[in-house]
Amino acid sequence: MVAVELGQDDDLARAAVVAAAVLDPEIPVITLEDLGVFRGAVRRQGRVIVTLTPTYTGCPATAAIQFAVEAALLKAGLADARVETVLSPPWTTDDITEAGRAKLLAYGIAPPNQSTPHGLFAEDAVACPRCGATTTTKLSEFGSTACKALWRCDACREPFDYFKCHR
Amino acid sequence: MTTTLASTMQAAIFELSLALGDDALVLGHRLTEWSSRAPMLEEDIALSNLGLDLIGQARLFYTYAGEVEGKGRREDDLAYFRDAAAYRNLLIVELEIGDFAHTIARQFLYAAFVHPYFQALAKSGDARLAEIAAKAVKEMAYHLRHASEWMIRLGDGTAESKRRVTSALDDLWGYTDEMFEVMPGERALIAAGNAPDRTAIKPKWAATVDAVLREATLTRPADRGMQSGGRQGRHTEALDHMLAEMQVLARQHPGATW
């Protein structure tokens, strides 16, 4: 949930709502709140500060996300608001909300497992987001982005993205 | 006295952040050289993604180094406007990519060190170093797994893959000791609980290396002719060539945007 008290500071509350609702540029069905990268909004020395956290350190979407939030704040008439990045606590896929997981699934991306086996050659068990079958095969540890792996369903034969567990 | 102590500590934090940033950037850049030419599409994407992680880590270390130094240098200044002699990276990360076996063996030897190193750095008394390490360690766990699996496939694969990975290990082994060399300024950081002691990481590294090599049916090379000098700016010619390519655009068009 957006971490502000409504009714007390209208601009702050609005900034939080606007920033939280910005869509992820690479998975445009989930919001920054769903993804867990929106960390909150505070007022510091009179100025509204929106804080975000990156997913992977090298994720090229980090800058795009910041621009998108700045643009959304500007559009909402909050030209004075500023966006800051925080690293701690580090983002994990556990920060993806239940709503976010449901949206990923509906979009055809298997949501991340809550843990990943750490042993060598250990395989995750991932259900196909299309037909639900659990007989699936990992094709590649890396997919279209750093956060996804490429899998194939052995039942319906469709390839799909798996949002990797990262924690 | 207090001021001197504090400024010595700041200088040491700058040096360490810079060295860690250089390790990550140089290795990250080397990995990107595989883009479009890896032996298979999956590995092409994998190596590029691993490179992105490292470049992301370098940006965090450089940004912090620039802030600690207090001379207004930003990440791009540190990456693009220093010559090889000012780079503080380990020699192992700057060597040419060689064949796929060389790239995998280097990635394995480095990740097996930096993963436990970051685990320890995440407990640093310096909050910023700790939070960067806590973020990076998750990524390096992945790098280590990826490289370890490939070491086993190559070592326990065909006669040709075994020959190549054995040759890669022999070539790289002499560069592994430098990872455990404590830089002069680092001693004060270790004493103050701001940085882990690299020498204490070596047994963990050795255990990982031995376990994977055993499964890969490979033999650990003997320690001889161990190289160092990267932390003092004494680099191989390979770094000059790499930096020339990496820095040319920024130097010919300072401040360029796209």
Side-chain angles (χ1 to χ4, degrees), chain B residues 18 24 82 101 154 157 180 190:
Chain B
L18 191 67
R82 282 182 303 141
L154 294 174
F180 309 104
I190 294 166

Side-chain angles (χ1 to χ4, degrees), chain A residues 55-119:
Chain A
T55 53
Y56 287 67
T57 51
C59 179
T62 307
I65 288 174
Q66 177 155 353
F67 291 142
V69 172
E70 285 168 352
L73 292 169
L74 202 60
K75 206 170 155 191
L78 298 160
D80 205 33
R82 205 166 52 198
V83 179
E84 280 185 6
T85 300
V86 293
L87 294 182
S88 199
W91 175 86
T92 80
T93 40
D94 293 349
D95 297 335
I96 299 175
T97 63
E98 278 305 316
R101 296 176 63 86
K103 289 178 193 174
L104 284 175
L105 191 60
Y107 190 57
I109 298 173
N113 289 339
Q114 310 285 8
S115 69
T116 200
H118 274 293

Side-chain angles (χ1 to χ4, degrees), chain A:
Chain A
M1 281 302 291
V2 178
V4 290
E5 289 180 37
L6 293 167
Q8 299 204 332
D9 183 340
D10 284 350
D11 278 358
L12 183 62
R14 221 148 44 84
V17 169
V18 164
V22 168
L23 296 174
D24 177 84
E26 286 184 332
I27 311 171
V29 291
I30 62 171
T31 66
L32 301 188
E33 185 183 6
D34 294 331
L35 185 59
V37 300
F38 170 73
R39 282 284 163 89
V42 293
R43 199 175 269 283
R44 198 186 308 145
Q45 291 162 342
R47 192 173 214 170
V48 172
I49 312 282
V50 169
T51 52
L52 304 174
T53 195
T55 53
Y56 287 67
T57 51
C59 179
T62 307
I65 288 174
Q66 177 155 353
F67 291 142
V69 172
E70 285 168 352
L73 292 169
L74 202 60
K75 206 170 155 191
L78 298 160
D80 205 33
R82 205 166 52 198
V83 179
E84 280 185 6
T85 300
V86 293
L87 294 182
S88 199
W91 175 86
T92 80
T93 40
D94 293 349
D95 297 335
I96 299 175
T97 63
E98 278 305 316
R101 296 176 63 86
K103 289 178 193 174
L104 284 175
L105 191 60
Y107 190 57
I109 298 173
N113 289 339
Q114 310 285 8
S115 69
T116 200
H118 274 293
L120 291 170
F121 299 106
E123 291 285 354
D124 288 291
V126 177
C128 171
R130 296 178 205 281
C131 73
T134 50
T135 46
T136 56
T137 307
K138 180 172 75 182
L139 296 179
S140 168
E141 190 95 45
F142 294 88
S144 54
T145 61
C147 57
K148 285 177 268 164
L150 191 59
W151 284 62
R152 183 182 55 215
C153 177
D154 298 331
C156 71
R157 305 304 291 170
E158 286 290 326
F160 64 90
D161 272 336
Y162 165 57
F163 202 119
K164 287 181 287 200
C165 170
H166 187 73
R167 54 196 303 233

Side-chain angles (χ1 to χ4, degrees), chain A residues 54-58 60 87-88 90-92 117-122 138-143 145-146 164 166-167, chain B residues 42 45-46 49-50 52-53 56-57 60 131-132 134-136 138-139 141-142 144-146 148-149 152-153 212 215:
Chain A
T55 53
Y56 287 67
T57 51
L87 294 182
S88 199
W91 175 86
T92 80
H118 274 293
L120 291 170
F121 299 106
K138 180 172 75 182
L139 296 179
S140 168
E141 190 95 45
F142 294 88
T145 61
K164 287 181 287 200
H166 187 73
R167 54 196 303 233
Chain B
E42 287 77 14
I45 297 168
N49 272 298
L50 300 178
L52 263 182
D53 285 342
Q57 292 166 19
L60 296 175
E131 70 176 7
I132 297 173
K135 185 111 189 103
K138 297 178 193 302
E139 293 160 0
Y142 217 78
L144 179 57
R145 195 175 97 180
H146 171 264
S148 300
E149 289 179 358
I152 294 163
R153 283 195 184 98
V212 171
E215 201 169 337

